[in-house]
Amino acid sequence: MGIVVQKYGGSSVADATSIKRVAQRIVATKKAGHDVVVVVSAMGDTTDDLIDLANQVAPLPPGRELDMLLTAGERISMAVLAMAIGTLGQEARSFTGSQAGVITDAEHGKAKIIDVTPGRIEAALAEGAVAIVAGFQGVSQTTKDITTLGRGGSDTTAVALAAALHADVCEIYTDVDGIFTADPRIVPDARHIPRISYEEMLEMAASGAKILHLRCVEYARRNDIPIHVRSSFSDKTGTWVVKTEDVIQEGSTMEQAIISGVAHDRSESKITVVGVPDKVGEAAAILRALADAQINIDMIVQNVSAAATALTDISFTLPRADGQTAMTALARLKDDVGFERLQYDDSVGKVSIVGAGMRSSPGITATFFQALADAGVNIEMISTSEIRISVVVSDNQVDAAVNAAHEAFNLGTDEVEAVVYGGTGR
Amino acid sequence: MGIVVQKYGGSSVADATSIKRVAQRIVATKKAGHDVVVVVSAMGDTTDDLIDLANQVAPLPPGRELDMLLTAGERISMAVLAMAIGTLGQEARSFTGSQAGVITDAEHGKAKIIDVTPGRIEAALAEGAVAIVAGFQGVSQTTKDITTLGRGGSDTTAVALAAALHADVCEIYTDVDGIFTADPRIVPDARHIPRISYEEMLEMAASGAKILHLRCVEYARRNDIPIHVRSSFSDKTGTWVVKTEDVIQEGSTMEQAIISGVAHDRSESKITVVGVPDKVGEAAAILRALADAQINIDMIVQNVSAAATALTDISFTLPRADGQTAMTALARLKDDVGFERLQYDDSVGKVSIVGAGMRSSPGITATFFQALADAGVNIEMISTSEIRISVVVSDNQVDAAVNAAHEAFNLGTDEVEAVVYGGTGR
């Protein structure tokens, strides 16, 4: 049998008891005949505690030292996990990102993996050991300094190792049974999704589904590594994230679902630049200022100008944490660009429907918007991709919008067959 | 000016406040024109906490993984210290033992340094940065695994780096002002020792003076690195540990003190093997059994046999933590060696007087033993070296013995001149 890469997040290794449970699962996988490589995050709140400690001595710690500090977290969890596996009679060896051959660029705090040379991991597997690798970290190719990969870093480490080792599967363990058609805390009859394509998962992740990070899904898609998202608290099959062809092949008589799920995101704010002269280059100047301030904007909407004034409004959404920085950067542009004023709104939420079947099914937008209207939800912004429709609504209308969309596309447990067979009469 | 290596122990970097204070001292040293290399231990109780965590999942954690775990402690302290220095406007870069070029053998938990290749440290100094190095750790030359140096490891790291970098001095910071003629908690008028020779310091360390580890002093002696033991809570000059010639040269009109200090040690137990047949090879068999059990014994005494029985008793002291292991190993020998029984006593203490002047001064032993007798202290075992006399006494007589010796050799603050000038009439 082949190589299985398993990734356990911080909540799966929060304390000694959890670590012992994870160790048993790993040993069971090894006993089933697989070579096992485990990628592990820091225990529970360790990373936050270390950041707190850093902030006690330095308001703006240098990236190199912050990375050195934070990588202590995975060092602890991986060593303790290796010990717990050893207690079960199975040898396990822990490896830092550097030892595992995770080579990155030198961008501290958000390094990108540029190569994986897992020679020591292969040697450990060849000798019958389980290899435990620190997630979230690597070593810079140029400076030889320790780096961290930033958000979603441990998932990305797991997929990158799976690709470099030609693993059969990358299992991402979390505290839920996989991906659902909507957040079950908001939609009680949300349905478990057994299979989903990389493309849909990417749109779900970009739309606020926090279970897998964009970056890890993109890495898996590029290298065609099947991801199995599942719970570390149960043995249930989770959600497989695979090639589009493999989603469709699963049930040979089925068509693909038109809408796979409804995602939402409350982490963004909306900024509107009001009264921008409708001239060539004005929007570019605004976006350039935001890019220079290292701000990633998400949705962006420009209205047609009112003919009488030749003024337009430009609205965009961005991570709430970047709101103040963006407002400051834009305020500096006021005289150059000549806009009237800035509006800042942090009580917004984004609701998205995602589905590969959308490509070939007209009328999806109309159904979605009608459902929102019937639920009394006001749409503030709209953005679409080939397989996603997103709207920005008021923060306090997010739950209503998610439920309305979920129901409109019959994503609930009992009515799923109708959706899969395309029987909703759109 | 040259390179100064400073080592700060766990109590000097116990929390954010302590770390900031240490950072100021480091920056002051740098501003005084020195290149500064700092070796740091784990913060406060971190190492103990990590060992507790390990024991929660594994009663006997594998050495490789325990080392991986424990080295997280220095990783945290060194990164936070580098940040604190950065906040003061001085660049600092932290390095793991491996990055600093501390190459060891592969004996996990008690690795020996076999080479130091501090290329990255030299580069950091050349660029004007302060280099912060994790104490207590290195990397195995053969396996490339992370190792720890065991007891006294951080002090040894500091001295080894000082030697490799040809530093002017290795400053060991602690929570007291240096070495005293006796433990001031036991002897209120114990005197601060401004200079002491490597040889005397070695005997003091071997006799229970915990302030410097044997191993670090030996490394310094072999490489002729002056050690300055001082407090991180004051600016006072501490104790210089130097070559014998440099001790004497300090005050040109002075002779060296005959007795430098009184050390004591309550960490040992005594085992007596009673009724050993007085034949060739019996003592060797006993010591072999202890060596095979990885036990380091300290003092060993064999009495002449009672002529009538041709039986003798062999007593030795050993670390209290090894007592149970030793008793088990010896019990297995009972039939082969044919001894009568084993006696175990963990309520013993060792009191030693140390002084290079002892070589040329007869009568020291007599003075010492008379003082003990006058104080009502019963001597259970005796052992001597060229510059040390140690006795084992009952645990509850240690304080009395230390005070008696301290007074007999006039080591107290007011009478020091008399000792230094050899005026005590021995």
Side-chain angles (χ1 to χ4, degrees):
Chain A
M1 304 217 198
I3 296 173
V4 173
V5 175
Q6 299 185 328
K7 180 262 173 176
Y8 294 94
S11 62
S12 299
V13 293
D15 53 30
T17 308
S18 311
I19 287 174
K20 287 182 195 171
R21 193 186 55 237
V22 165
Q24 283 172 339
R25 183 180 291 273
I26 292 165
V27 171
T29 309
K30 173 72 182 163
K31 284 200 173 137
H34 301 284
D35 282 340
V36 186
V37 177
V38 176
V39 174
V40 69
S41 301
M43 292 170 67
D45 300 326
T46 308
T47 303
D48 289 341
D49 291 347
L50 291 173
I51 291 173
D52 284 350
L53 177 61
N55 288 336
Q56 284 176 44
V57 303
L60 285 171
R64 179 189 189 279
E65 299 306 324
L66 192 58
D67 281 358
M68 185 68 96
L69 178 67
L70 296 185
T71 50
E74 288 79 30
R75 195 178 192 89
I76 293 169
S77 56
M78 72 180 188
V80 176
L81 180 56
M83 292 173 190
I85 294 171
T87 304
L88 300 176
Q90 167 62 49
E91 196 202 345
R93 294 182 211 160
S94 65
F95 297 93
T96 64
S98 173
Q99 290 176 334
V102 179
I103 315 293
T104 72
D105 61 23
E107 285 290 318
H108 287 291
K110 51 181 176 180
K112 287 190 188 60
I113 297 176
I114 54 184
D115 198 8
V116 180
T117 55
R120 293 189 67 177
I121 306 299
E122 287 165 334
L125 296 180
E127 291 169 21
V130 167
I132 315 286
V133 179
F136 177 70
Q137 57 177 254
V139 60
S140 155
Q141 190 170 46
T142 50
T143 64
K144 309 295 175 204
D145 287 330
I146 303 302
T147 54
T148 64
L149 307 180
R151 286 191 156 198
S154 290
D155 290 358
T156 307
T157 303
V159 170
L161 274 170
L165 294 164
H166 308 289
D168 291 346
V169 58
C170 179
E171 296 182 340
I172 306 279
Y173 285 89
T174 176
D175 51 3
V176 293
D177 283 323
I179 317 287
F180 285 75
T181 50
D183 186 334
R185 287 168 299 189
I186 293 181
V187 181
D189 70 342
R191 184 175 55 88
H192 177 259
I193 303 176
R195 285 182 169 238
I196 191 169
S197 69
Y198 295 121
E199 289 73 16
E200 287 169 308
M201 194 64 235
L202 281 171
E203 292 284 6
M204 293 282 276
S207 305
K210 292 187 183 58
I211 206 157
L212 279 183
H213 199 271
L214 206 60
R215 197 170 160 192
C216 124
V217 181
E218 178 56 26
Y219 205 111
R221 188 187 67 75
R222 258 200 332 269
N223 294 277
D224 195 14
I225 298 295
I227 298 178
H228 185 186
V229 184
R230 54 193 304 198
S231 169
S232 65
F233 298 87
S234 83
D235 284 324
K236 286 186 197 163
T237 296
T239 298
W240 285 81
V241 185
V242 291
K243 282 187 294 196
T244 306
E245 305 88 277
D246 295 339
V247 176
I248 296 170
Q249 279 167 2
E250 185 210 11
S252 57
T253 63
M254 293 188 191
E255 289 177 48
Q256 189 174 11
I258 293 172
I259 301 300
S260 294
V262 184
H264 71 279
D265 187 353
R266 292 184 208 262
S267 70
E268 298 193 334
S269 290
K270 184 178 75 165
I271 290 177
T272 304
V273 189
V274 179
V276 180
D278 196 359
K279 293 188 299 189
V280 172
E282 298 294 28
I286 287 169
L287 296 181
R288 169 55 50 204
L290 295 170
D292 288 349
Q294 303 285 321
I295 291 165
N296 282 316
I297 62 174
D298 178 25
M299 291 168 63
I300 176 162
V301 172
Q302 178 178 348
N303 300 335
V304 290
S305 59
T309 61
L311 293 178
T312 185
D313 298 343
I314 298 177
S315 295
F316 56 88
T317 61
L318 76 172
R320 202 162 292 172
D322 292 338
Q324 191 53 54
T325 313
M327 289 294 278
T328 307
L330 290 172
R332 266 189 246 115
L333 283 188
K334 190 167 190 299
D335 293 339
D336 282 353
V337 172
F339 60 78
E340 281 175 18
R341 62 195 157 84
L342 297 170
Q343 278 179 352
Y344 182 71
D345 185 357
D346 62 3
S347 56
V348 295
K350 185 171 69 167
V351 175
S352 307
I353 57 172
V354 173
M358 211 182 273
R359 287 192 185 102
S360 50
S361 299
I364 301 293
T365 311
T367 304
F368 182 28
F369 288 8
Q370 185 62 49
L372 295 177
D374 291 348
V377 174
N378 183 45
I379 300 173
E380 300 185 13
M381 286 172 76
I382 302 168
S383 146
T384 63
S385 82
E386 214 182 348
I387 62 170
R388 174 186 52 79
I389 304 169
S390 300
V391 296
V392 169
V393 301
S394 172
D395 191 15
N396 58 25
Q397 292 193 309
V398 167
D399 288 11
V402 170
N403 270 294
H406 199 263
E407 194 175 351
F409 293 103
N410 292 343
L411 295 176
T413 311
D414 293 328
E415 299 143 25
V416 55
E417 296 297 278
V419 177
V420 171
Y421 287 99
T424 51
R426 264 175 312 272
Chain B
M1 303 216 196
I3 296 174
V4 173
V5 175
Q6 300 186 328
K7 181 261 173 177
Y8 294 93
S11 62
S12 299
V13 292
D15 53 29
T17 308
S18 310
I19 288 174
K20 286 181 195 172
R21 194 186 55 238
V22 165
Q24 282 171 341
R25 183 180 290 272
I26 292 165
V27 171
T29 309
K30 173 71 181 165
K31 283 201 174 138
H34 301 284
D35 281 341
V36 187
V37 176
V38 176
V39 174
V40 69
S41 301
M43 292 171 67
D45 301 326
T46 308
T47 302
D48 289 341
D49 292 346
L50 291 174
I51 290 173
D52 284 350
L53 177 61
N55 288 335
Q56 285 176 43
V57 302
L60 286 170
R64 180 190 189 279
E65 299 305 325
L66 192 58
D67 282 358
M68 185 67 96
L69 178 68
L70 296 185
T71 50
E74 288 80 30
R75 194 178 192 88
I76 293 170
S77 56
M78 72 180 188
V80 176
L81 180 55
M83 291 173 191
I85 294 170
T87 304
L88 301 175
Q90 167 62 49
E91 195 202 344
R93 293 182 210 160
S94 65
F95 297 94
T96 64
S98 172
Q99 290 175 334
V102 179
I103 315 292
T104 72
D105 61 22
E107 285 291 316
H108 287 290
K110 49 180 177 182
K112 288 190 187 60
I113 297 176
I114 53 184
D115 197 8
V116 180
T117 54
R120 293 188 67 176
I121 306 299
E122 289 165 332
L125 296 180
E127 291 168 23
V130 167
I132 315 286
V133 179
F136 177 69
Q137 59 177 252
V139 61
S140 157
Q141 191 170 44
T142 51
T143 65
K144 308 297 176 204
D145 287 330
I146 302 304
T147 54
T148 65
L149 309 179
R151 285 191 156 198
S154 290
D155 290 359
T156 308
T157 302
V159 171
L161 273 170
L165 294 164
H166 308 289
D168 292 346
V169 58
C170 178
E171 297 183 339
I172 306 279
Y173 284 90
T174 175
D175 50 4
V176 294
D177 284 323
I179 318 287
F180 285 75
T181 51
D183 185 335
R185 286 168 300 187
I186 293 182
V187 181
D189 70 342
R191 185 175 53 87
H192 177 258
I193 303 176
R195 285 181 170 238
I196 190 169
S197 69
Y198 295 123
E199 289 73 15
E200 288 169 308
M201 193 64 234
L202 281 172
E203 292 284 6
M204 293 281 276
S207 304
K210 292 187 183 59
I211 206 156
L212 278 184
H213 200 269
L214 207 60
R215 197 170 162 193
C216 125
V217 181
E218 178 56 26
Y219 205 111
R221 189 188 64 76
R222 260 203 328 272
N223 294 276
D224 194 15
I225 297 295
I227 298 180
H228 186 186
V229 184
R230 55 192 305 198
S231 169
S232 64
F233 298 87
S234 83
D235 284 323
K236 286 187 196 165
T237 296
T239 298
W240 284 81
V241 186
V242 292
K243 282 188 293 197
T244 306
E245 305 89 276
D246 295 339
V247 175
I248 296 170
Q249 280 169 1
E250 185 210 11
S252 56
T253 64
M254 293 186 191
E255 291 178 48
Q256 189 174 12
I258 293 173
I259 301 300
S260 293
V262 184
H264 70 280
D265 187 354
R266 292 184 209 261
S267 70
E268 297 193 335
S269 290
K270 184 179 75 164
I271 289 176
T272 303
V273 188
V274 179
V276 180
D278 197 358
K279 294 187 300 190
V280 172
E282 299 292 28
I286 287 169
L287 296 181
R288 169 56 49 205
L290 296 170
D292 289 348
Q294 303 285 322
I295 291 164
N296 283 317
I297 63 174
D298 178 24
M299 291 168 63
I300 174 161
V301 172
Q302 178 177 347
N303 301 335
V304 291
S305 59
T309 60
L311 292 178
T312 186
D313 298 342
I314 297 177
S315 295
F316 55 89
T317 60
L318 74 173
R320 203 161 292 172
D322 291 338
Q324 191 52 57
T325 313
M327 289 294 279
T328 307
L330 291 172
R332 266 189 245 114
L333 282 189
K334 190 166 190 298
D335 293 339
D336 282 354
V337 173
F339 60 78
E340 281 173 19
R341 62 196 156 85
L342 297 170
Q343 277 179 352
Y344 182 72
D345 185 357
D346 62 3
S347 56
V348 295
K350 186 172 67 167
V351 175
S352 308
I353 56 173
V354 173
M358 210 183 275
R359 288 192 185 100
S360 51
S361 300
I364 300 293
T365 310
T367 305
F368 182 27
F369 288 7
Q370 186 61 51
L372 294 177
D374 292 347
V377 174
N378 185 46
I379 299 175
E380 300 186 14
M381 288 172 75
I382 301 167
S383 146
T384 62
S385 83
E386 214 181 347
I387 62 170
R388 174 186 51 80
I389 305 169
S390 300
V391 296
V392 169
V393 300
S394 171
D395 190 16
N396 58 25
Q397 293 192 308
V398 167
D399 289 11
V402 170
N403 271 294
H406 199 262
E407 195 174 353
F409 294 103
N410 292 342
L411 295 176
T413 311
D414 293 327
E415 299 143 24
V416 55
E417 296 296 279
V419 178
V420 170
Y421 288 100
T424 52
R426 263 177 314 275

